[in-house]
Amino acid sequence: LLGDTMTLPYNPDGSPRPDSALVTTCPCIIDDTAHISVGAYIGPGVRIGAGARIFGGWISEHVVIEDECTIENSYIGPRVIIRSHATITDSYIGARSHILNWVTIQHEHLGQRVSIAPHTHIRKYIRIGDRTIIYAHVVIGQGTRIGSHVTICTGSHIHADYLGDWTYIGPGAYLEERVRTGIRSQIGGNVRVPAGHRIPIGYRYQG
């Protein structure tokens, strides 16, 4: 996955890598085939895998970016782990978050310790609070706001306006536009919540 030597000063196409990637105190380990634009900041102790591409932005200390990831104009917080083939564009990723394989994130703001499972697609202008867990094959539509400690199970489609803190979304649920859930509410598996519906605080919705 990741090389055993420190980074070379040049990208595979001969263009220079940023000076921040070449520090010798707590050095980075960057695969020779990774491409890092000169405008990017790379913090100490970062590990970047084969074929990864980083264009601008800020990669904080001790971040792990695996093979074939693309990160463009984004802030990646300390000790974030980004698994292979993830794509992150124009986004903020909070500290110690974990982004798994084949996740697509565009124009988002993620809090700290957010976990996103493989093959999840998060569309534009979404905010996700701290310690939220999103399982595999989830689609989150544009503009959704998600609170802290929320759990969204496998295969759900979320087009809601807002999910309150500690909300639980069961597997295969479908939340239509303008849905809002209260704190600690629960949506059952394979349930469809109609557009504009309001789920009260602590309520368990079964359709």
Side-chain angles (χ1 to χ4, degrees):
L1 169 65
L2 296 170
D4 295 325
T5 59
M6 290 186 294
T7 181
L8 296 175
Y10 294 98
N11 291 308
D13 63 0
S15 60
R17 286 176 170 170
D19 291 342
S20 58
L22 309 177
V23 295
T24 56
T25 303
C26 193
C28 300
I29 300 175
I30 301 175
D31 189 273
D32 294 348
T33 64
H35 181 98
I36 306 170
S37 73
V38 73
Y41 172 81
I42 307 297
V46 169
R47 297 168 66 90
I48 300 176
R53 296 166 295 277
I54 300 175
F55 304 101
W58 182 286
I59 311 298
S60 301
E61 63 271 16
H62 302 292
V63 168
V64 174
I65 299 170
E66 291 189 350
D67 301 349
E68 301 295 337
C69 290
T70 301
I71 301 175
E72 185 172 359
N73 298 325
S74 295
Y75 172 87
I76 310 298
R79 300 185 183 276
V80 168
I81 298 174
I82 303 172
R83 300 298 184 188
S84 63
H85 297 91
T87 300
I88 300 173
T89 306
D90 297 323
S91 295
Y92 178 103
I93 310 298
R96 297 182 183 271
S97 290
H98 194 174
I99 312 300
L100 293 184
N101 314 70
W102 300 101
V103 170
T104 301
I105 297 173
Q106 297 177 319
H107 303 280
E108 321 306 347
H109 186 286
L110 274 60
Q112 297 184 29
R113 297 180 183 270
V114 172
S115 180
I116 302 178
H119 298 282
T120 291
H121 296 277
I122 302 178
R123 294 175 182 163
K124 296 180 179 179
Y125 313 119
I126 292 170
R127 296 183 67 89
I128 299 175
D130 297 343
R131 297 179 183 270
T132 284
I133 300 173
I134 301 173
Y135 287 92
H137 299 282
V138 167
V139 175
I140 301 178
Q142 181 170 319
T144 299
R145 291 181 298 135
I146 299 172
S148 299
H149 301 274
V150 172
T151 299
I152 302 175
C153 291
T154 302
S156 297
H157 284 66
I158 310 298
H159 301 280
D161 280 352
Y162 178 72
L163 304 182
D165 295 347
W166 301 96
T167 292
Y168 174 86
I169 308 295
Y174 194 107
L175 278 62
E176 297 184 2
E177 293 81 3
R178 304 188 311 283
V179 168
R180 298 177 67 89
T181 71
I183 296 171
R184 295 187 182 276
S185 59
Q186 299 179 46
I187 310 296
N190 298 308
V191 168
R192 191 178 191 101
V193 183
H197 202 77
R198 300 291 188 267
I199 310 296
I201 293 173
Y203 185 79
R204 185 171 184 177
Y205 185 88
Q206 295 290 351

